[in-house]
Amino acid sequence: MENERHEIVDLYIPRKCSATNRLIGAKDHAAVQINIADVNEDGVITGSTKSFAICGMVRARAESDDSLNRLASKAGYLKSPARPDDFHDGDREALEGKLRSALETLSQIRVSVENHELADEGVLEQRVDRLVRGYADMFAIKDRLNVNIPEDVLSYVRDGRNPDEFTSQFMERVASENQFTNGKIAALTNFKQEFEAQLQEFFPEELKERKKEA
């Protein structure tokens, strides 16, 4: 919140983790904020900075270094041969198509194996061959993509759970934390207004002098 002089007057301004985009709670004492200074062509600091906030969860997983490198590369502070902005949409769509085809082929192979007495060996061999060729195509695409997948999502996949559940739970958690933070901000704002009203009522002269000094 800004006043008429465009000064920040909020008692608490919530931050978001630059790596995960999740809110950083007021009690996240492991969170850090790193300011990278801009320099001119002579290497002299210009006075402007770029801020990156890292939450305690990322640091606890020892992922802060990788996250900062990725963020700095995206912001142009580091040169990276494979930045997220350089993804080839065609390659990514091709990979997604290969994955869908592989899942469908695996399902067909499962049906053939479960009904092995009625299954045609030639059809089964064709499906296995198609699956192997699909894996080979995906292996060829991998070097053209640099996709960062959160460890939590991989854990969901390993446990046989739908990764969409992770997104849904993450959004619910963020909404809950945001609601809690907004409640604290509203409480502090009300306290500030009430406190100023009480000062104005019982110490009007002192408050007037204080405002003059400010």
Side-chain angles (χ1 to χ4, degrees):
M1 182 183 299
E2 295 183 356
N3 58 18
E4 64 277 2
R5 292 178 294 182
H6 302 289
E7 297 174 341
I8 302 297
V9 296
D10 289 327
L11 297 179
Y12 171 68
I13 302 177
R15 297 175 299 165
K16 281 189 175 182
C17 176
S18 303
T20 63
N21 206 35
R22 65 183 295 172
L23 285 176
I24 298 178
K27 294 184 179 180
D28 188 353
H29 302 300
V32 296
Q33 177 170 308
I34 298 176
N35 299 326
I36 300 179
D38 294 321
V39 297
N40 58 21
E41 60 275 7
D42 298 323
V44 179
I45 296 176
T46 61
S48 61
T49 61
K50 176 69 174 179
S51 300
F52 297 113
I54 304 296
C55 65
M57 181 193 71
V58 174
R59 298 188 64 205
R61 294 179 177 177
E63 297 176 357
S64 55
D65 183 66
D66 178 71
S67 298
L68 283 173
N69 285 337
R70 174 170 53 83
L71 292 168
S73 297
K74 189 174 182 179
Y77 290 103
L78 291 177
K79 292 183 178 180
S80 174
R83 291 172 50 185
D85 294 339
D86 297 331
F87 287 166
H88 300 285
D89 291 337
D91 292 333
R92 182 164 51 189
E93 292 176 358
L95 178 61
E96 292 175 354
K98 293 292 182 182
L99 285 170
R100 285 192 294 268
S101 177
L103 291 174
E104 182 179 355
T105 303
L106 284 170
S107 177
Q108 294 173 354
I109 291 174
R110 180 180 61 83
V111 173
S112 297
V113 172
E114 290 178 351
N115 301 276
H116 60 90
E117 295 180 355
L118 303 176
D120 186 341
E121 292 186 1
V123 174
L124 180 59
E125 290 178 0
Q126 291 177 1
R127 291 172 177 173
V128 172
D129 181 67
R130 185 166 67 246
L131 179 64
V132 172
R133 284 188 282 106
Y135 284 155
D137 293 340
M138 286 187 283
F139 186 81
I141 296 175
K142 72 176 181 62
D143 293 330
R144 301 198 297 267
L145 294 175
N146 182 21
V147 181
N148 295 313
I149 302 177
E151 182 64 29
D152 289 341
V153 175
L154 295 178
S155 298
Y156 269 61
V157 174
R158 283 194 294 265
D159 295 340
R161 303 167 64 185
N162 190 340
D164 288 340
E165 294 181 11
F166 171 80
T167 303
S168 177
Q169 293 176 3
F170 178 79
M171 294 301 297
E172 291 176 359
R173 185 167 65 250
V174 170
S176 176
E177 293 179 359
N178 189 46
Q179 184 178 9
F180 176 73
T181 302
N182 288 338
K184 293 178 64 176
I185 294 175
L188 289 172
T189 302
N190 293 335
F191 172 77
K192 177 185 177 184
Q193 294 173 351
E194 181 66 23
F195 185 66
E196 290 178 347
Q198 293 293 329
L199 288 177
Q200 182 65 37
E201 180 179 355
F202 293 100
F203 305 100
E205 298 298 328
E206 290 81 352
L207 186 60
K208 185 181 299 185
E209 292 294 329
R210 180 66 177 177
K211 289 182 178 180
K212 289 180 180 180
E213 293 177 359

